[in-house]
């Protein structure tokens, strides 16, 4: 199932690992994530606030991220984006801030420095592992903006009453579920995770009631001539085909091509479908049904890496992340990663992003 990401959450620190030849820093392990921290700042079992990569962190919460420079600005908020980085041969992904307690009240303490006062955000009278505090801390998901002429004019919000947004969870946040999947010997369809921008076309009709939407990740868009999402919808004639076959579904895919995200695919913009949501049954189609509908509507599918891969083929998250590395089926450049969809339970979906790709592109 596609869900909104918890960009900031209360998490247990599972383990502290030493870094070879490092006297001042060490690794905190949080689920499947590794974060470089000051030596002695945390210990295994501590509760802390973990921020995932691609979080936009307000400047007052972590001013040190700007390295003494003027902070950047995103959606009118000054701050910085969390990126993957490598130090002493170790990949660090994310940020940890301490959670403290005072007289039965918990708060997140932003790091202070000589130039900034300590910034405190109240959390409440109780905290628990996995507690989502993204909104409380004002954290946004950073996404590379499309050029203004391509992004379009908003008609309204994404129609979540009809279908979910597209945003698969990363495997690093699902480590507590992997053993259960192994016990069930679940099989997964694996497709290439493409570096592009999310596209959804929704059509729903019941009696005289009718809705059609062409959407970015977060918005339903007005039809205009130069809007990229509507250009793709028209290119494949998707709204008309959904009407012709009377399909109450949402086509979801990735728009790739030049001028889209990193632009690694030097081709005119095109669509690759990765999901089809059945509005009437309120669930995603299984891989076979999805590909049948793509064939019917003459829509290109995302590259398939494996049709039935057992979760038991992997010993740990590290092996899954290594498997994510490789060359794109489309043009042979370094691929962004992989998406796993369970072939028998459509609520189980996750993605593995290649660390090699992240370090190269960030």
């Amino acid at each position: 199932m596609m869900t909104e990401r918890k960009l900031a959450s209360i998490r247990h620190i599972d383990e502290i690992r030493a870094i070879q030849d490092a006297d001042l820093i060490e690794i905190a392990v949080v689920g499947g994530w590794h974060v470089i921290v000051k030596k002695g700042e945390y210990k295994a079992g501590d509760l802390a606030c973990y921020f995932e990569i691609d979080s936009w962190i307000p400047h007052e919460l972590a001013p040190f991220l700007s390295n003494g420079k003027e902070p950047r600005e995103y959606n009118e908020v000054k701050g910085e984006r969390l990126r993957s980085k490598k130090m002493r041969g170790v990949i660090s992904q994310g940020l940890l801030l301490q959670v403290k307690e005072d007289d039965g009240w918990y708060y997140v303490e932003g790091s202070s420095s000589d130039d900034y006062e300590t910034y405190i955000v109240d959390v409440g009278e109780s905290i628990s592992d996995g507690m989502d505090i993204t909104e409380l801390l004002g954290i946004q998901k950073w996404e590379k903006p499309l050029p203004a002429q391509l992004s379009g004019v908003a008609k309204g919000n994404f129609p979540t009453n009809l279908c979910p947004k597209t945003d698969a969870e990363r495997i690093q946040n699902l480590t507590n579920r992997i053993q259960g999947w192994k016990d069930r010997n679940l099989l997964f369809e694996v497709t290439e995770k493409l570096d592009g921008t999310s596209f959804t076309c929704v059509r729903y009709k019941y009696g005289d009631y009718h809705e059609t939407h062409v959407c970015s990740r977060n918005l339903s868009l007005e039809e205009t001539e130069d809007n990229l999402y509507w250009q793709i919808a028209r290119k494949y004639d998707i709204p008309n085909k959904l009407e012709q076959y009377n399909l109450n579904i949402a086509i979801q895919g990735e728009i790739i091509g030049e001028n889209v995200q990193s632009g690694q695919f030097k081709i005119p913009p095109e669509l690759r479908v990765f999901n089809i949501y059945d509005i009437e049954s309120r669930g995603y189609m299984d891989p076979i049904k999805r590909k049948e509908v793509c064939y019917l509507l003459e829509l290109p599918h995302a590259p398939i890496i494996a049709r039935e891969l057992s979760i038991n083929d992997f010993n740990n998250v590290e092996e899954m992340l290594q498997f994510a590395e490789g060359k794109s089926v489309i043009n042979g450049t370094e691929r962004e990663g992989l998406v796993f969809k369970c072939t028998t339970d459509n609520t189980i979906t996750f993605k593995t992003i290649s660390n090699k790709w992240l370090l190269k592109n960030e």
Side-chain angles (χ1 to χ4, degrees), residues 298-357:
E298 300 179 281
L299 298 176
H301 196 279
I304 298 172
I305 307 301
R307 298 186 184 279
E308 288 191 328
L309 185 66
S310 173
I311 193 68
N312 283 300
D313 288 348
F314 303 98
N315 292 314
N316 49 46
V317 170
E318 284 73 22
E319 288 188 6
M320 293 184 186
L321 294 175
Q322 289 171 6
F323 184 60
E325 297 179 2
K327 301 301 182 182
S328 172
V329 171
I330 294 177
N331 68 349
T333 58
E334 196 68 32
R335 70 184 175 211
E336 181 181 358
L338 300 171
V339 179
F340 290 67
K341 300 187 186 76
C342 182
T343 58
T344 55
D345 185 343
N346 64 14
T347 67
I348 301 176
T349 298
F350 63 87
K351 62 187 176 185
T352 56
I353 305 300
S354 163
N355 285 329
K356 188 175 181 180
W357 184 91

Side-chain angles (χ1 to χ4, degrees), residues 104-293:
W105 196 264
Y106 293 90
Y107 60 92
V108 172
E109 182 175 283
S111 290
S112 60
S113 68
D114 294 337
D115 300 320
Y116 296 93
E117 295 182 358
T118 300
Y119 186 79
I120 292 176
V121 180
D122 290 331
V123 176
E125 294 180 297
S126 64
I127 57 175
S128 59
D129 188 39
M131 180 178 175
D132 188 357
I133 54 174
T134 303
E135 187 174 348
L136 178 66
L137 297 181
I139 308 302
Q140 303 178 66
K141 180 178 181 294
W142 183 90
E143 294 180 286
K144 184 177 180 179
L146 279 172
Q149 70 272 19
L150 299 180
S151 59
V153 178
K155 182 170 68 174
N157 291 326
F158 188 99
T160 52
N161 60 313
L162 297 178
C163 70
K165 294 181 182 180
T166 61
D167 199 3
E169 186 64 273
R170 293 181 188 240
I171 190 60
Q172 291 98 323
N173 292 324
L174 301 173
T175 53
N176 61 342
R177 300 179 62 185
I178 294 175
Q179 188 56 52
W181 299 341
K182 286 177 172 286
D183 293 342
R184 296 163 63 186
N185 194 27
L186 294 183
L187 300 177
F188 288 82
E189 175 201 53
V190 183
T191 56
E192 183 179 338
K193 171 76 171 68
L194 298 170
D195 179 31
T197 186
S198 176
F199 166 94
T200 298
C201 183
V202 185
R203 185 264 188 186
Y204 178 69
K205 187 175 183 180
Y206 183 80
D208 294 332
Y209 182 78
H210 179 246
E211 279 188 62
T212 297
H213 299 271
V214 170
C215 309
S216 62
R217 186 183 300 279
N218 297 309
L219 298 171
S220 176
L221 301 168
E222 296 279 3
E223 181 173 6
T224 56
E225 187 64 29
D226 56 358
N227 170 242
L228 176 63
Y229 302 90
W230 270 101
Q231 287 176 354
I232 290 295
R234 290 191 295 265
K235 176 178 180 177
Y236 298 97
D237 200 25
I238 300 175
N240 289 333
K241 289 176 181 177
L242 296 182
E243 192 72 26
Q244 175 187 348
Y245 291 105
N246 193 29
L247 296 173
N248 285 332
I249 61 176
I251 302 292
Q252 297 187 314
E254 202 79 8
I255 300 174
I256 61 173
E258 53 195 358
N259 299 322
V260 181
Q261 295 291 16
S262 69
Q264 75 176 86
F265 302 112
K266 307 300 182 184
I267 56 176
E270 63 179 47
L271 176 69
R272 294 300 178 102
V273 175
F274 55 69
N275 262 332
I276 299 179
Y277 187 80
D278 188 321
I279 299 172
E280 295 177 355
S281 66
R282 307 302 292 178
Y284 285 101
M285 293 182 181
D286 62 45
I288 294 176
K289 182 65 175 176
R290 182 194 332 121
K291 286 187 273 288
E292 287 176 349
V293 174

